[in-house]
Amino acid sequence: MTDNRGANLSRLVLKTAGRAKEKILQNLGKSDKTTDEIFEEHLINFNTQQVNATRLHKDINNYLRCIRAMQTANKNLMDTLSDIYEKEWVGQDMLYVQAQNNEMLWADLAHKLTDQVVTPLNTYQAQFPEMRKKIDKRGRKLIDYDAERHTVQQMQNNPNRNEAKYIRAKEQMENAKRTYEVLNSELHDELPALYDSRILFLVTNMQTLFAAEEVFHSETSKVYSELEAVVDKLAKEVQKGTLPRKPINRPLPITNNSAPVIQTSSMNSPPKATNGGTHKYRGNSPAKDYEVVGTDRVGGTDRFNGERDDNDRHFEENGNRLARGQYEIPSGATTDNLPPGVLYRVKAAYKYQAEDVDELNFEVGEIIQVVEYDDPEEQEEGWCMGVKESTGQKGLFPANFTRPI
C-alpha cells in the first residue's frame, strides 16, 4: 500500500512538472498551443456571468439584512407608540391593531425574500464552482495533450527514434486527445446552456422580488392610512376640547377655620391648585363665614343700611341667577361701589399659572373682579369666575390664591 501511494505521488509530481514546463514553453512561444476560439468566447461569457451572480447574491443578502433591521426598528417604534398612546385617547385599540398588522407585513416580506428570492439565488450561484472545476480540468488535459503531441512530433522528426517508444508515445497522445475532447465537448454544450439560463433566472427572481415589494407597500399604505386617521381623530378631539381627561379634584377653598397648607419654609410659596376634570357643580360648599346676597334677603335690602343697592338691582334686573339660588360673599369682602355684575373683588396673594385654557394667569397683587358663572351648573368648589382688572381677561381661578378686599 505504501509503495502504491509513493508511486502515485511520484507520477503526480512528474505530471505537474511536465504541465508547468509545457506551459512555460507555450508562453515563451517555443511550442504551439491548441486553441479553440469558440470555447474562449464561452469562457468569457461564463466569467462575466459568475461575476454578476456573485454581485447580485451579495446585494440581495445585504438588502435582506436591511429589511430585517427595518423590521426590528419598526416593531420597536410601534411598541413605543402603543405604550405612550394613552388608553383614554380616541383610537387606542385601532393603533394597537394596525401596529400588529404592520409587524406581520414586515415579517411576511422578509420570509418571502428569504424563501423565494435568496434560496433560488443560492442554488443558481452554486453551479459556478462546479463548472469552474470542470473548466480547469479541461485546461490541464489540453496541456497534457499538447505535451504528448509535441513529444510525438519530436520523435517523428528523429530518424534514429526507437519505434517501440514512438508507438507508445502515439498511444499516449491519442488517450490524452480523447480525454481532452470529451471534456471540451461537454463544456461546449454546458457553458452556453448555463449562460442562457441567466435570463430566465433573472426574470423569475426579480418578478418574485418586485411582486413581494408591491404587495408589502400596498398593504402598508393601508395600515399607515388607518394610523393617520387615528391621529387625525385625536387632533380633532383636542381642537374641539372634547378629549376625555382623568378626573382630578380641585383643592378646597379657604375658610376661616382652615388655611392653605404651605409645605415650605418660605411664607411666599403659593398653595397647591389642582387642575383636572370639567368645571361642573359638585354640590354644597364647605361651611364658611359667608354673607348671603340675593333675592332671599328681606325686601332685597342691604345688610348695612336696609336699603337696596345698585349692584343688587343689577342682579335682579339682568340675570336669572338670583332666582335660582344665592351667591356666597366671603367675610372681609365689600360689595359697595362695584361695577354692574361684579359680586366682590379679590387681590392675588400668590402667583398662579393657568393649567387649562379656561383659567386665569395672575401675578401677586393683581386685582380680580369676581363675577357670576355663565352657567350655574358649572360652578365648582374652591373656584371662582373672575375678570382681571388689568387686562379684562375672564376665566376661572382658585380662591385660595387670593384674598377678598
Side-chain angles (χ1 to χ4, degrees), residues 273-287:
T274 304
N275 178 22
T278 57
H279 302 295
K280 294 184 178 179
Y281 182 71
R282 299 183 182 275
N284 297 326
S285 300

Side-chain angles (χ1 to χ4, degrees), residues 293 309-316 335 338-344:
V293 177
D309 59 21
D310 292 337
N311 194 40
D312 292 338
R313 285 194 296 272
H314 172 78
F315 289 154
E316 291 179 349
T335 58
L338 295 177
V342 178
L343 300 176
Y344 58 93

Side-chain angles (χ1 to χ4, degrees), residues 148-188:
E148 295 295 342
R149 181 168 57 82
H150 294 151
T151 299
V152 170
Q153 289 175 352
Q154 291 174 1
M155 295 180 68
Q156 189 175 4
N157 296 330
N158 184 5
N160 299 322
R161 65 178 179 271
N162 186 321
E163 289 298 328
K165 290 183 179 180
Y166 176 67
I167 294 172
R168 188 163 57 251
K170 287 180 67 176
E171 291 177 354
Q172 291 176 350
M173 182 191 71
E174 291 298 327
N175 291 335
K177 182 180 180 181
R178 282 194 298 270
T179 302
Y180 161 73
E181 288 180 344
V182 169
L183 286 172
N184 191 56
S185 177
E186 291 176 356
L187 289 172
H188 269 274

Side-chain angles (χ1 to χ4, degrees), residues 34-103:
T34 302
T35 58
D36 186 342
E37 294 181 358
I38 297 178
F39 177 82
E40 292 300 325
E41 184 178 350
H42 293 331
L43 182 59
I44 292 173
N45 291 338
F46 171 81
N47 291 334
T48 303
Q49 184 181 7
Q50 184 178 20
V51 170
N52 292 338
T54 301
R55 181 179 177 183
L56 181 63
H57 184 269
K58 176 183 176 182
D59 289 339
I60 287 291
N61 277 281
N62 185 52
Y63 183 75
L64 180 58
R65 284 193 294 271
C66 293
I67 291 293
R68 287 170 176 163
M70 278 296 299
Q71 178 185 359
T72 302
N74 181 78
K75 182 180 184 303
N76 293 338
L77 174 61
M78 289 300 169
D79 288 346
T80 299
L81 290 177
S82 298
D83 290 341
I84 66 176
Y85 201 93
E86 299 180 12
K87 294 181 179 180
E88 295 79 9
W89 294 353
V90 61
Q92 197 270 347
D93 293 339
M94 181 61 70
L95 177 69
Y96 175 79
V97 171
Q98 295 303 329
Q100 296 298 312
N101 292 339
N102 201 27
E103 182 180 348

Side-chain angles (χ1 to χ4, degrees), residues 47-335:
N47 291 334
T48 303
Q49 184 181 7
Q50 184 178 20
V51 170
N52 292 338
T54 301
R55 181 179 177 183
L56 181 63
H57 184 269
K58 176 183 176 182
D59 289 339
I60 287 291
N61 277 281
N62 185 52
Y63 183 75
L64 180 58
R65 284 193 294 271
C66 293
I67 291 293
R68 287 170 176 163
M70 278 296 299
Q71 178 185 359
T72 302
N74 181 78
K75 182 180 184 303
N76 293 338
L77 174 61
M78 289 300 169
D79 288 346
T80 299
L81 290 177
S82 298
D83 290 341
I84 66 176
Y85 201 93
E86 299 180 12
K87 294 181 179 180
E88 295 79 9
W89 294 353
V90 61
Q92 197 270 347
D93 293 339
M94 181 61 70
L95 177 69
Y96 175 79
V97 171
Q98 295 303 329
Q100 296 298 312
N101 292 339
N102 201 27
E103 182 180 348
M104 287 189 294
L105 288 172
W106 278 102
D108 183 61
L109 176 63
H111 175 74
K112 283 184 177 178
L113 293 184
T114 301
D115 190 52
Q116 302 178 20
V117 176
V118 176
T119 300
L121 181 57
N122 291 338
T123 303
Y124 173 73
Q125 195 182 24
Q127 302 173 95
F128 295 101
E130 293 299 322
M131 190 63 69
R132 177 65 66 183
K133 290 180 181 179
K134 200 167 187 177
I135 291 172
D136 292 341
K137 184 177 181 181
R138 179 230 178 233
R140 293 193 297 270
K141 296 305 179 182
L142 177 58
I143 293 176
D144 292 341
Y145 166 63
D146 285 341
E148 295 295 342
R149 181 168 57 82
H150 294 151
T151 299
V152 170
Q153 289 175 352
Q154 291 174 1
M155 295 180 68
Q156 189 175 4
N157 296 330
N158 184 5
N160 299 322
R161 65 178 179 271
N162 186 321
E163 289 298 328
K165 290 183 179 180
Y166 176 67
I167 294 172
R168 188 163 57 251
K170 287 180 67 176
E171 291 177 354
Q172 291 176 350
M173 182 191 71
E174 291 298 327
N175 291 335
K177 182 180 180 181
R178 282 194 298 270
T179 302
Y180 161 73
E181 288 180 344
V182 169
L183 286 172
N184 191 56
S185 177
E186 291 176 356
L187 289 172
H188 269 274
D189 294 335
E190 294 174 0
L191 287 177
L194 177 60
Y195 187 67
D196 291 341
S197 70
R198 76 194 189 285
I199 302 175
L200 180 60
F201 166 76
L202 189 63
V203 168
T204 304
N205 205 252
M206 292 301 100
Q207 280 180 338
T208 303
L209 172 62
F210 298 149
E213 288 283 357
E214 180 184 12
V215 171
F216 170 75
H217 289 291
S218 175
E219 294 300 321
T220 52
S221 67
K222 297 177 183 178
V223 170
Y224 286 114
S225 294
E226 294 292 336
L227 292 174
E228 183 182 12
V230 169
V231 178
D232 287 344
K233 289 180 181 178
L234 179 62
K236 291 178 181 178
E237 292 285 339
V238 174
Q239 292 174 356
K240 293 179 180 179
T242 57
L243 185 67
R245 300 180 181 179
K246 297 178 180 178
I248 302 177
N249 294 329
R250 300 281 191 177
L252 296 176
I254 301 175
T255 67
N256 289 344
N257 297 325
S258 62
V261 179
I262 302 176
Q263 298 178 346
T264 177
S265 58
S266 174
M267 295 302 293
N268 295 324
S269 298
K272 295 183 179 179
T274 304
N275 178 22
T278 57
H279 302 295
K280 294 184 178 179
Y281 182 71
R282 299 183 182 275
N284 297 326
S285 300
K288 304 173 186 175
D289 294 333
Y290 290 153
E291 297 183 9
V292 178
V293 177
T295 55
D296 289 343
R297 294 180 302 174
V298 178
T301 57
D302 184 74
R303 62 183 180 276
F304 297 106
N305 52 23
E307 296 181 357
R308 188 187 305 264
D309 59 21
D310 292 337
N311 194 40
D312 292 338
R313 285 194 296 272
H314 172 78
F315 289 154
E316 291 179 349
E317 293 172 359
N318 297 317
N320 296 322
R321 300 295 175 86
L322 298 180
R324 297 180 186 176
Q326 298 175 335
Y327 292 95
E328 297 173 340
I329 305 299
S331 298
T334 178
T335 58

